[in-house]
Amino acid sequence: MTIQFKDETFRDDYTFKNSEWAVNRFPFPFHEDSYMYSVNMEPHQSFRPGSVFEHRFDVDEHYLSEMRDRAQVLAEDPLRCQSLPHMTLAGWDLLELIMVSKSEDYPDLFQLNRDDNNWHWINKPMGIDQKFTFLDEATLPYGPMEYITRQTQGDFAVLDQRDDNLWMDAGMITTQADWSLDFDIGMNFFEWHAPVPKAHELGIFVRALKFLLNVQQGLPARRLNWTMTVNPLLDTSPENYSKWGVQKQELTLENMPDKMHLRVELQTFFRLPRSNALVFPIRCYLIKLGEVVTVPKWGRRLHRVLRDLPEELATYKGFIGNRPKIIEWLSRYDDGAPTSPGIWPD
Amino acid sequence: MSAGSAKIPVTVAEITPVTDLITRFRFARRDGGPLPVFSGGAHTVVEMQDGDTLRRNPYSLMGDPADQSSYSISVRRDDQGRGGSLFMHSQCRVGMDMVISNPVNLFALDLRGRKHLMLAGGIGITPFLAQIKQLAASNGRFELHYAARSAAHAAYADDLRAAHPGNVHIYHGDQDQRFDLEHLLDGQPLGTHVYVCGPLRMIGQVRDTAANLGWPREAVHSEEFLAPKSGKPFQVKLAVSNKVIEVGEHQSLLEAIEAAGVEAPYLCRGGACGQCETDVIGYDGKFLHNDHWLDADARASGKKIMPCVSRFEGKTLVLDR
């Protein structure tokens, strides 16, 4: 289908909302009525045409507005995009992966013509027409990672692989669930995950790292993660906590359907061929609770999951204070009927 | 996830004798399309249908990592080996269809390195050939020291010397030329990384010398593929698939599992990557751990085995597979 790009905001007047098309393809993260951490990886193969799992890099109706929001974040805080010197080759790998994927998956929107290292990239939605020399930074307006991730939805952590560990040595992070690239830059996998409760005791990170170190070229993987966000904020960063943290106090039963959002991250993992680095795209999808309950199965299930979630997880995910209100509101949409297995609407 | 890596159907495009023991094989995609680019140091697993036996051996990719038209490997004939190299030398023909895996790199360059010091022994030269091409394309600084039994055995030495005069140093064992490791490792500029690929004894010497000279452990990289050792046949019960299998004298446990039609994960098939780690449900006997993966605690626990290279002697072994 042709995507109708929307003109909307993720700040100030918050005009973001999902069309019915976007609601029905939302990656609802709960396959059953309860939730606990797991490594929950699966191959990132094309699945269910029209869903967010169809293409390697999903493009949806929020594309242009999300890219405008990213540009605003970067203008205010350039440190949201960093790349240590040894990561430039990985940046070219990422540029190649995204340009090739998008031009193959969305030929009406993106075109890539390659003649040896002379490349011509056309991004029609953003009105970009760029000729450049692959592997020559001087021919692009930004470094390769920054150039392509200013044109691609989702955050990107680019991880160097060495010493049997992964290192957060580059990234474009402007739509994050309360973590900071500037704080984490240069850290290894265990260091940047240190704040996560429970998962260490469960041995999750040792297993997850082992899995990730063996992610192979041509066999990307994916998983979903989630949290709750008041207002459709893409940029819930520690750097700006003083701006958005206070907004959690504004939540009432009345404004709940429009103000409270389920925030889902489609996390994917690709081995980058030239650098042997790993790229970890973290794509954020927002949905209002009022939109969630238009799918009866999701309304019932979200109520049960949030009601039964262990306290430390609700604290870590930042909604412990608002949980009683959220559960009260959602309970109106839970008639106790059984739900079908899997994440899709009935 | 599925066992092994993504597979690529290829045709043998060229076979070139290099020395009296080493032969080079060039593969092109069967459909004529481009092969994936890779990073220097990567290997591919080559599948060989040798009669009733399916062999899978890892070989370093030695070509230019940016060249997508074909892949090249060099195979050293091992007359005492289990048969993979003999198959390549005696049965592989130009035009033959084969299957190889997508590239996997367990011996990547540390791109933080200001200088890359490479130490190769014999056939261990192959991953460096690709790494040197990668570095040459990005003006990376490297120095190669390559030891072979004699000038006639020093595969690719002439090409290397011609392409990179001043950066390549060849040592011939029959002329009593040896690495002076102390001298080589002492006084390297700050930010140098050292890479060694060759016999186990050489890797040990480099690691020990570097440690004694105060090199950071993270700046020393090595790769050694273990060939699975032969041994006494043994019997294994696979609990999940409910099968009892026999592991032959010259067969690895992983190969026996695969031959029984049971899918098992793997990557390097040489005891290094950890992908094939398998839970032991019960045993009465002795493990012969041959891998580089399990630590002393894991070995002592009796709960893990790496079926790509390790074996078992005793009455019963039950695996969670």
Side-chain angles (χ1 to χ4, degrees):
Chain A
M1 68 168 279
T2 314
I3 303 168
Q4 300 294 319
F5 296 109
K6 300 172 77 176
D7 182 359
E8 60 194 353
T9 58
F10 301 88
R11 55 178 72 207
D12 306 325
D13 57 348
Y14 298 118
T15 61
F16 163 87
K17 66 171 99 128
N18 287 299
S19 69
E20 194 183 338
W21 172 76
V23 169
N24 284 316
R25 72 196 296 277
F26 189 82
F28 189 74
F30 306 110
H31 62 90
E32 57 187 8
D33 288 356
S34 63
Y35 172 79
M36 193 13 109
Y37 285 130
S38 63
V39 176
N40 69 324
M41 302 275 192
E42 61 176 9
H44 186 36
Q45 290 164 351
S46 183
F47 176 63
R48 209 171 155 116
S51 80
V52 305
F53 305 119
E54 182 180 9
H55 297 309
R56 287 162 281 189
F57 296 92
D58 182 46
V59 176
D60 69 9
E61 63 190 17
H62 308 298
Y63 177 45
L64 293 180
S65 296
E66 286 188 25
M67 293 301 95
R68 187 174 55 204
D69 194 74
R70 164 158 293 162
Q72 284 176 276
V73 172
L74 289 169
E76 288 164 16
D77 183 359
L79 294 178
R80 302 300 189 84
C81 178
Q82 299 190 41
S83 178
L84 299 183
H86 62 281
M87 298 302 283
T88 304
L89 185 61
W92 286 110
D93 267 331
L94 180 61
L95 176 142
E96 179 178 36
L97 174 67
I98 293 176
M99 287 187 178
V100 169
S101 300
K102 281 189 163 179
S103 61
E104 287 175 359
D105 294 345
Y106 300 92
D108 50 334
L109 302 180
F110 305 97
Q111 286 167 13
L112 177 66
N113 293 301
R114 290 182 283 183
D115 173 15
D116 196 19
N117 279 348
N118 299 312
W119 290 28
H120 184 191
W121 166 246
I122 298 172
N123 175 340
K124 288 186 188 165
M126 292 183 74
I128 292 169
D129 185 311
Q130 179 81 45
K131 289 181 174 153
F132 64 99
T133 306
F134 187 68
L135 299 175
D136 181 356
E137 277 185 278
T139 60
L140 281 177
Y142 305 100
M145 178 193 72
E146 179 169 359
Y147 179 77
I148 197 59
T149 57
R150 279 177 176 267
Q151 301 177 42
T152 309
Q153 289 167 277
D155 280 350
F156 292 83
V158 187
L159 314 176
D160 195 20
Q161 179 158 334
R162 55 177 198 267
D163 312 329
D164 296 324
N165 212 324
L166 294 167
W167 304 81
M168 182 80 71
D169 285 352
M172 167 67 91
I173 308 293
T174 67
T175 68
Q176 67 272 54
D178 204 6
W179 67 280
S180 162
L181 174 69
D182 192 38
F183 185 76
D184 286 358
I185 191 98
M187 287 189 185
N188 71 33
F189 189 79
F190 296 111
E191 290 167 340
W192 84 68
H193 280 119
V196 183
K198 277 193 173 259
H200 293 276
E201 298 96 274
L202 294 172
I204 297 271
F205 288 126
V206 172
R207 266 180 292 154
L209 176 62
K210 188 172 157 187
F211 178 90
L212 293 173
L213 291 174
N214 280 328
V215 167
Q216 295 158 57
Q217 254 178 268
L219 288 178
R222 67 176 168 234
R223 69 185 288 262
L224 295 175
N225 198 7
W226 66 280
T227 188
M228 306 294 292
T229 303
V230 174
N231 288 326
L233 282 154
L234 287 174
D235 176 26
T236 50
S237 58
E239 285 90 340
N240 279 333
Y241 187 80
S242 61
K243 294 179 195 162
W244 59 268
V246 292
Q247 296 176 19
K248 294 189 205 177
Q249 310 299 323
E250 298 166 7
L251 193 69
T252 64
L253 285 174
E254 287 64 46
N255 64 24
M256 184 72 65
D258 192 47
K259 216 172 183 53
M260 193 73 222
H261 293 73
L262 172 63
R263 180 191 197 95
V264 174
E265 291 175 353
L266 170 57
Q267 306 181 341
T268 50
F269 306 89
F270 295 81
R271 174 70 54 203
L272 296 175
R274 297 166 197 272
S275 58
N276 202 42
L278 195 72
V279 66
F280 176 30
I282 309 161
R283 172 68 178 278
C284 170
Y285 293 88
L286 291 164
I287 188 170
K288 296 173 187 299
L289 288 200
E291 294 167 344
V292 170
V293 299
T294 62
V295 178
K297 170 180 167 181
W298 290 356
R300 292 183 184 111
R301 180 167 289 169
L302 185 60
H303 171 246
R304 296 169 198 177
V305 167
L306 296 186
R307 180 191 64 199
D308 302 337
L309 192 74
E311 195 149 307
E312 52 269 67
L313 287 187
T315 305
Y316 171 67
K317 289 178 182 289
F319 64 94
I320 188 76
N322 280 323
R323 177 153 78 161
K325 262 185 262 185
I326 300 171
I327 295 171
E328 185 183 342
W329 189 85
L330 280 171
S331 70
R332 300 170 191 171
Y333 298 88
D334 186 358
D335 55 8
T339 54
S340 59
I343 66 175
W344 304 104
D346 290 320
Chain B
M1 309 221 42
S2 60
S5 355
K7 306 278 171 67
I8 309 173
V10 294
T11 304
V12 180
E14 195 178 357
I15 300 178
T16 313
V18 181
T19 70
D20 63 351
L21 287 177
I22 295 172
T23 298
R24 183 169 70 241
F25 300 85
R26 194 162 67 78
F27 302 112
R29 272 190 83 106
R30 242 178 267 171
D31 62 9
L35 289 156
V37 292
F38 61 94
S39 50
H43 70 264
T44 183
V45 174
V46 177
E47 299 193 354
M48 309 164 206
Q49 193 61 53
D50 186 1
D52 292 340
T53 306
L54 177 63
R55 303 183 186 281
R56 293 186 170 119
N57 281 17
Y59 294 103
S60 295
L61 292 167
M62 54 171 281
D64 181 346
D67 178 3
Q68 298 183 258
S69 64
S70 62
Y71 285 167
S72 292
I73 61 170
S74 282
V75 179
R76 183 183 187 280
R77 196 180 76 230
D78 180 357
D79 294 320
Q80 317 304 322
R82 298 160 55 258
S85 69
L86 289 176
F87 175 90
M88 290 303 288
H89 276 253
S90 60
Q91 296 188 51
C92 188
R93 297 281 177 270
V94 170
M96 203 162 124
D97 286 343
M98 296 187 79
V99 172
I100 65 175
S101 76
N102 254 1
V104 173
N105 201 340
L106 302 172
F107 189 51
L109 292 167
D110 190 321
L111 296 175
R112 296 172 307 165
R114 306 264 178 90
K115 176 182 173 184
H116 305 275
L117 176 64
M118 301 166 173
L119 307 175
I123 191 66
I125 188 63
T126 51
F128 294 124
L129 296 169
Q131 290 182 337
I132 287 171
K133 291 191 179 82
Q134 179 179 337
L135 286 170
S138 57
N139 297 316
R141 189 172 167 204
F142 74 92
E143 186 180 308
L144 170 74
H145 296 263
Y146 172 21
R149 273 156 55 192
S150 69
H153 287 96
Y156 308 113
D158 293 340
D159 298 344
L160 283 164
R161 251 190 309 226
H164 308 283
N167 297 25
V168 171
H169 308 269
I170 315 288
Y171 303 73
H172 298 137
D174 62 347
Q175 294 171 38
D176 274 335
Q177 297 167 345
R178 304 267 183 268
F179 293 156
D180 181 353
L181 277 181
E182 291 269 347
H183 180 72
L184 271 179
L185 293 173
D186 199 9
Q188 288 291 341
L190 203 63
T192 302
H193 281 251
V194 61
Y195 305 82
V196 52
C197 185
L200 187 59
R201 202 169 62 95
M202 176 176 159
I203 294 171
Q205 285 168 347
V206 172
R207 287 205 169 271
D208 291 346
T209 310
N212 290 338
L213 290 168
W215 279 65
R217 189 183 53 81
E218 296 79 13
V220 184
H221 310 266
S222 60
E223 175 156 75
E224 188 219 1
F225 284 124
L226 301 166
K229 285 187 184 156
S230 301
K232 287 183 205 153
F234 58 103
Q235 205 179 60
V236 184
K237 176 156 198 244
L238 305 178
V240 178
S241 36
N242 195 26
K243 287 185 177 174
V244 175
I245 61 167
E246 295 284 340
V247 183
E249 183 182 354
H250 299 297
Q251 196 179 27
S252 74
L253 172 52
L254 178 60
E255 288 164 343
I257 292 171
E258 290 169 339
V262 176
E263 225 182 60
Y266 67 86
L267 275 185
C268 76
R269 303 180 80 88
C273 76
Q275 188 74 357
C276 72
E277 185 180 291
T278 303
D279 290 332
V280 175
I281 293 175
Y283 72 103
D284 177 5
K286 188 173 78 164
F287 291 102
L288 305 171
H289 291 294
N290 294 320
D291 59 279
H292 290 319
W293 178 256
L294 296 177
D295 59 21
D297 288 348
R299 289 181 178 198
S301 75
K303 290 181 178 162
K304 301 278 183 193
I305 187 167
M306 309 304 293
C308 65
V309 290
S310 297
R311 304 183 71 87
F312 182 80
E313 278 179 4
K315 274 199 214 147
T316 54
L317 173 63
V318 186
L319 297 180
D320 183 24
R321 184 65 73 200

